[in-house]
Amino acid sequence: MKMIRLFKQHYIRKVEELEGVWDFQLDGCDKVYRLAVPGCVEQHPDLLKTRGTGAYNREVYVEQNGNIRLEFKGVSHTGDVFWDGEQIAHHYNAFTGFSAVVRNAKKGWHRLEVRIDNTFGEHSSLHVPNDYYTYGGITRPVSMERVADIYISGIHFTPYLENGVWMGRLEIKIRNLAEEPAEISVESFLEREGDGGVSQLFPASGAGWNNVKVEPDSEIVFTAEQEFAGVAVWSHENPALYLWNTVLYVNGIPVDDMIDRVGFREVKVSGKRILINGKQIFLKGFNRHEDYATVGCAVPFQLMMQDMDLMTDMGANAVRTCHYPNDERFLDLCDERGIFVWEENHARGFGLERMQNPNFDKQCKDCIHEMIESHYNHPSIIIWGILNECASETEEGREKYARQYTQIKGLDTSRPTTSATCRHLKDICLDLPDIVSFNMYSGWYKDVPVEETNQKEIDWIRASGGDGKPIIVSEFGAAAIYGCRDRARSKWSEERQADIIRENLEVYMNHPDICGVFVWQFADCRVTEEEWFSTRARCHNNKGIVDEYRRPKMAYDVIREMYR
Ligand code: ADA
């Protein structure tokens, strides 16, 4: 399955996907493996528990002299890229992409090496032993592009309503690699997939996008506010998408292009409600890890599709990308299916000590920047989340939460923020986000009554900085081992999980202060064996509504009944 996105992003720019079989060697081992890319090294029977470093290698053919741009959608969890032996990129974090440009590559064969590292240690503050597994590998797609000296390096689209008329703010970033200045023009237009009706945008109003001089070795941004009268709106019920096509001309010659998919929708927080295009929504969601039996986190598109079909079959309208930025193809699916997305940066369960890792602040900052830079245009993303269950009960932790929320607002003012807390009755950060979210396992970790526990939590939220804000129950649920049936409905049976899910949903879906729920979790996922996670049965987090092979447990039908 050759696919980087669910639609074609370039007609002028030549793109080749480097999907296939690459050589792989673990450091210190002579054996050369032939591994699939994208893929996890753990997929190979010799490499099931790889926690180490190694190198992927392959030859690539450059068809003509010119600049080569390599894009890696995800290398887990640290990648170092070499072109003919020379390092051209370093990147930490499996869940955000990165790219590198090789200037003036010569026609012919070249050697591409990707060194990977999925070890734990001080160098890695976000990939740590956890209640999900960190694999090794080139786990998301890789592409090789031919770019001119001047090319489009990014396009952002912000839809908004002005006096009832749809507007769009367009930002088009152009990079000039050359040593001399150039004169360029940019043209942009929007079209509905399939119906070819094109609304010519620029240079309709001569918006100053013609014959602009770009200095050598620089990057400039073209911006414009454009009216879009009569467009179809993106919503859960009717997720209308548009292809936004931008073409770059140098001396009148089209030299590059970039297409992204956008949707006209507006997200607002109004009092205790979340509004999409002015209409209140109630989020009926799942927490979904990128993890699947046998393929690890390198979930192929067909299986993403199956996950989407199962979640929508259960009546979900939302998904939370716990606990890291997701594969763009899954986000493309959410755009197409009208599924609301809470996307969050990479963090799960860091106490203050882990937040004090000297790499933590920068690795979070990079992750947030890369997540928003690359996922900005997805209409399905309606909330940016950070720092799941981190040290939000401490002053030092609060400084980090505040810094990250500020960073997000600096990158995107069009979406509300939140964070899932478990610092019950002692969180000191609830005044910072637009939406307050909490994780609560009434009936599983604690046999406490759902209703009273929930009301106590909400009363405390209202009195601790969260007054007047929307509230989301970002996690609730229970574990069950697939196939474990018990008329006594004891813990770990499918019956008990179904009972706990029902009892929780009956409270959360009927509380006036709650505007959304996310079941923990969609599917069972593998966890690391270090630390307390080794107490997890089968070294899996077994709270899935389906198991790791997507086989439904009894709770599937309870959610299907209640979400629909
Ligand atoms: C936490 C955490 C999840 C998962 C869950 C559980 O809320 O956010 O990642 O670990 O608990 O299963 O206990």
Side-chain angles (χ1 to χ4, degrees), residues 17 39 65 82 89 97 118 177 239 263 271 285 339 366 384 395 429 439 444:
E17 285 190 49
N65 293 348
F82 298 80
N118 77 332
L177 295 170
I339 296 295
D366 291 347
W384 294 120
E395 278 305 331
C429 295
N439 299 338
W444 179 254

Side-chain angles (χ1 to χ4, degrees), residues 337-357:
R337 308 283 284 263
I339 296 295
F340 300 118
V341 176
W342 158 342
E343 185 162 55
E344 63 186 33
N345 74 341
H346 180 197
R348 181 208 164 278
F350 300 142
L352 187 54
E353 192 183 344
R354 279 209 188 281
M355 294 180 91
Q356 289 167 333
N357 176 310

Side-chain angles (χ1 to χ4, degrees), residues 137-173:
I138 302 177
T139 50
R140 291 182 183 167
V142 185
S143 63
M144 179 169 78
E145 307 170 341
R146 213 164 54 216
V147 289
D149 274 353
I150 297 191
Y151 64 96
I152 302 169
S153 51
I155 55 174
H156 278 178
F157 181 88
T158 310
Y160 62 97
L161 275 168
E162 194 167 75
N163 308 323
V165 176
W166 279 106
M167 300 291 289
R169 181 169 61 254
L170 301 97
E171 296 164 275
I172 297 165
K173 243 190 276 184

